Amino acid sequence: MENSNNRKEIVVCITGASGAIYAKRLLEELKKDDSIITSLVVSKMGISTIKYELNIEIDEFYKLADNYYLEDDFYAPIASGSHKFDSAIVIPCSMKSVSAVANGYADNLIARVCDVCLKEHRKLVLITRETPLNAIHLENMTKLSKLGVIIMPPVPAFYSFPKTVDDIINFTVGRILDTLDVKNNLVKRWGDE
């Protein structure tokens, strides 16, 4: 495992919800920043969704991260609060994962990483993917928001006049990077020419 005290570690978790392209783009951007270490966890359904939506093998994702762990690896350093990663993001985040995190059901490494963020008061960002939302989804997300979790559905903005799907993806990933305190130029800022 790569580690250094002067580098920020961000844990990127991918569930089986639609939207693996957001995770790929995020990992590509984070890889450009030498001050960041990325640790990656992909669920079994996440692996399946990556192959289905992007027509690529999981090894392509693993190459974008500094470290990667299997979803059932509870011996991974990121499973412990004593391991000082800075923040975690679940991108995309299924409602099943939202429910697990909201109810303390850490049955895989993704939910455990989120549990560590909650108990250690670290930044946790969930890129939630579902529509429409039912009352249970909303209650779970409200519960997490009250605990300080950032709930961030990948909603496009049209004031930047996107021309391609890539423009829409870049906008969302830029806003995610802002939330993670990572400098980027992906977002056309309101009021900028």
Side-chain angles (χ1 to χ4, degrees):
M1 169 161 157
E2 187 175 332
N3 202 349
S4 173
N5 289 337
N6 60 356
R7 294 176 75 194
K8 177 162 66 169
E9 182 176 5
I10 298 174
V11 181
V12 178
C13 303
I14 303 172
T15 71
S18 181
I21 188 64
Y22 291 110
K24 183 175 184 285
R25 189 74 180 99
L26 177 66
L27 286 166
E28 289 168 347
E29 287 300 309
L30 292 173
K31 191 163 185 66
K32 294 176 185 177
D33 191 330
D34 291 336
S35 70
I36 295 172
I37 295 170
T38 52
S39 291
L40 176 65
V41 184
V42 186
S43 72
K44 289 179 182 94
M45 280 307 301
I47 292 170
S48 180
T49 301
I50 287 166
K51 188 169 184 168
Y52 180 78
E53 289 186 353
L54 303 178
N55 197 28
I56 60 175
E57 297 298 326
I58 191 60
D59 290 344
E60 294 301 312
F61 269 72
Y62 292 157
K63 289 176 189 174
L64 294 171
D66 295 297
N67 312 298
Y68 64 88
Y69 305 97
L70 301 177
E71 75 171 323
D72 58 356
D73 184 1
F74 285 93
Y75 289 102
I78 57 176
S80 173
S82 67
H83 180 77
K84 294 298 217 175
F85 65 84
D86 295 89
S87 57
I89 181 165
V90 184
I91 177 172
C93 185
S94 66
M95 287 301 119
K96 175 184 174 184
S97 295
V98 168
S99 179
V101 176
N103 293 287
Y105 187 64
D107 66 332
N108 65 26
L109 186 56
I110 292 172
R112 175 59 186 164
V113 163
C114 295
D115 196 41
V116 168
C117 285
L118 290 172
K119 77 184 190 73
E120 301 292 334
H121 302 282
R122 297 181 192 161
K123 185 176 282 187
L124 175 58
V125 182
L126 305 181
I127 310 303
T128 54
R129 273 285 304 118
E130 188 63 81
T131 193
L133 296 164
N134 69 39
I136 296 169
H137 302 150
L138 294 167
E139 285 174 9
N140 284 335
M141 288 188 287
T142 299
K143 183 178 185 180
L144 290 170
S145 182
K146 288 178 179 178
L147 293 171
V149 176
I150 298 167
I151 306 295
M152 193 173 177
V155 178
F158 294 97
Y159 62 79
S160 59
F161 303 103
K163 293 176 179 52
T164 66
V165 171
D166 202 44
D167 290 343
I168 293 169
I169 293 163
N170 285 339
F171 175 84
T172 296
V173 171
R175 295 292 289 132
I176 291 166
L177 291 168
D178 286 349
T179 302
L180 294 171
D181 301 316
V182 176
K183 290 183 182 179
N184 72 90
N185 295 314
L186 292 178
V187 177
K188 180 180 178 187
R189 313 266 174 208
W190 182 252
D192 288 354
E193 294 302 318

